[in-house]
Amino acid sequence: MIRKNNAKFEMLFVLGFLATLVIAFGTFFLGLNIGIDKTEAKYAYLKTTPIGEENESSYQQQDLVTFYYVVFQPYQQFKEDYLTLVDDMSRSTSKSVSADAMKEICEKAKASYEQIAAQSIADSSPLLKEAQTDYLRSLKLFEDSMDQIKTKAGSKKGAELAKVVNHDEFTVSAKNYGLQAQKKYYSSILKWTAKTKTGVPTEFTIKNNIGTKEWTGYSLAVKNKAITDMMVNDQLYVSYLPQDLTAKIDQLIGSGKADALKLTSVASIVKVLTETDAVKNKEFVKWKSTYYASESLPELPFFAED
């Protein structure tokens, strides 16, 4: 009788233990699924929406112009503000100034995100759609990076805090998405140019060790696309535009200074120019009439502004 009772007790114990495990695992997976759902909802902006396919009407000038005004320009303004605020932060010794700068970056990123997300880009120009998505990813990650930094910055301020901002994993990803979006926009400009000018390829990817002689044979659209590749590879998140760096390269080659400095590749020229901060905004406009008078250019403000 005692053995029967013990066996019954052991069976009930085992069943109870198994039931507890089932409930525990069920609770765990329910919590996991809820957590996944919340994470997916928070980062829904990282999902790529379905896009159309290229056709004869893709990358018309009006598409490029519209994208410039409703996506590119707002993001470029944010980027300039971000770089200015981080520079101000690096020269400040006040914790409150640094905190205010981070708050302002966060607010500007959020406002720019909302502005760009509200715009509709033609499905027939998929690279422009992808560029818009990447710019939105960039802005959201900039916003999130400030929240991350607040929790781990501690008493850091000034240059030390600016360094944390620049090297935060969210910030690094935000910059990369911004550079990827820029590359896609200039790839779209290259596709437009190929339709309007014979001999210009629809696609181009930077090659290692492009010599200065080969470089001078490229059209401006190809050069600019090559520069956006280099900016992604070298993480050149700067206020000046790809055509500004292109113009400075062409000026260095055209003036004979590249030869005098024994710079025989485009990569070596870019290294010197970027490490010495020799490239400024509006370099392209400055040298436009000298080197690009015969180029076929879409009517975009950054190619025409004086």
Side-chain angles (χ1 to χ4, degrees), residues 25-281:
F25 277 110
T27 303
F28 170 77
F29 285 111
L30 176 61
L32 179 62
N33 287 331
I34 291 173
I36 291 173
D37 289 342
K38 286 183 177 179
T39 301
E40 288 181 345
K42 182 178 179 182
Y43 293 101
Y45 63 91
L46 291 176
K47 295 181 179 179
T48 302
T49 56
I51 56 176
E53 296 182 357
E54 293 182 12
N55 53 55
E56 291 183 0
S57 65
S58 299
Y59 311 110
Q60 298 294 320
Q61 178 164 267
Q62 187 56 49
D63 296 329
L64 300 177
V65 172
T66 298
F67 187 89
Y68 174 89
Y69 281 111
V70 303
V71 178
F72 181 83
Q73 190 179 51
Y75 183 86
Q76 188 67 19
Q77 184 59 60
F78 164 79
K79 180 165 68 170
E80 291 174 4
D81 291 340
Y82 167 81
L83 292 170
T84 298
L85 286 165
V86 173
D87 183 58
D88 291 343
M89 192 188 302
S90 68
R91 290 184 282 104
S92 172
T93 57
S94 169
K95 186 175 181 180
S96 63
V97 170
S98 299
D100 289 344
M102 286 197 299
K103 181 181 178 181
E104 191 171 350
I105 291 170
C106 188
E107 290 173 349
K108 286 181 180 294
K110 183 177 181 180
S112 297
Y113 179 94
E114 292 173 351
Q115 181 181 356
I116 293 173
Q119 307 303 322
S120 178
I121 301 300
D123 290 333
S124 59
S125 297
L127 277 175
L128 294 179
K129 292 278 286 187
E130 291 177 15
Q132 180 188 30
T133 299
D134 283 348
Y135 276 137
L136 291 174
R137 288 168 168 166
S138 175
L139 291 165
K140 188 61 177 175
L141 286 167
F142 270 120
E143 182 184 349
D144 288 348
S145 71
M146 296 303 107
D147 290 331
Q148 292 286 323
I149 292 166
K150 287 175 187 176
T151 63
K152 62 184 180 183
S155 60
K156 293 182 176 65
K157 59 187 177 182
E160 193 176 13
L161 184 58
K163 185 177 180 179
V164 172
V165 169
N166 281 322
H167 291 86
D168 177 76
E169 60 181 345
F170 277 25
T171 304
V172 172
S173 294
K175 291 178 180 180
N176 184 58
Y177 275 124
L179 291 169
Q180 291 287 353
Q182 177 179 257
K183 182 171 76 170
K184 289 170 183 175
Y185 186 35
Y186 280 80
S187 294
S188 301
I189 294 173
L190 176 59
K191 287 180 179 291
W192 175 88
T193 307
K195 290 181 178 182
T196 61
K197 188 174 182 180
T198 304
V200 176
T202 58
E203 296 180 2
F204 183 85
T205 302
I206 190 71
K207 298 179 293 184
N208 292 329
N209 299 319
I210 293 179
T212 54
K213 186 176 181 180
E214 181 181 355
W215 175 262
T216 55
Y218 293 159
S219 68
L220 176 64
V222 170
K223 290 176 179 178
N224 287 341
K225 169 55 173 62
I227 291 300
T228 63
D229 289 344
M230 296 181 76
M231 293 176 88
V232 169
N233 295 339
D234 297 340
Q235 286 295 287
L236 293 177
Y237 194 79
V238 291
S239 61
Y240 57 79
L241 297 173
Q243 62 264 26
D244 294 321
L245 180 50
T246 294
K248 199 64 180 177
I249 293 169
D250 288 340
Q251 188 270 328
L252 209 65
I253 295 172
S255 66
K257 292 180 181 178
D259 286 339
L261 294 171
K262 301 188 184 306
L263 302 174
T264 59
S265 70
V266 174
S268 63
I269 295 175
V270 170
K271 182 177 176 64
V272 169
L273 291 174
T274 55
E275 289 187 353
T276 58
D277 293 324
V279 187
K280 307 300 179 185
N281 285 318

Side-chain angles (χ1 to χ4, degrees), residues 286-300:
K286 180 180 178 181
W287 299 103
K288 180 180 175 181
S289 61
T290 304
Y291 298 112
Y292 313 110
S294 62
E295 291 283 352
S296 177
L297 298 171
E299 294 180 5
L300 295 169

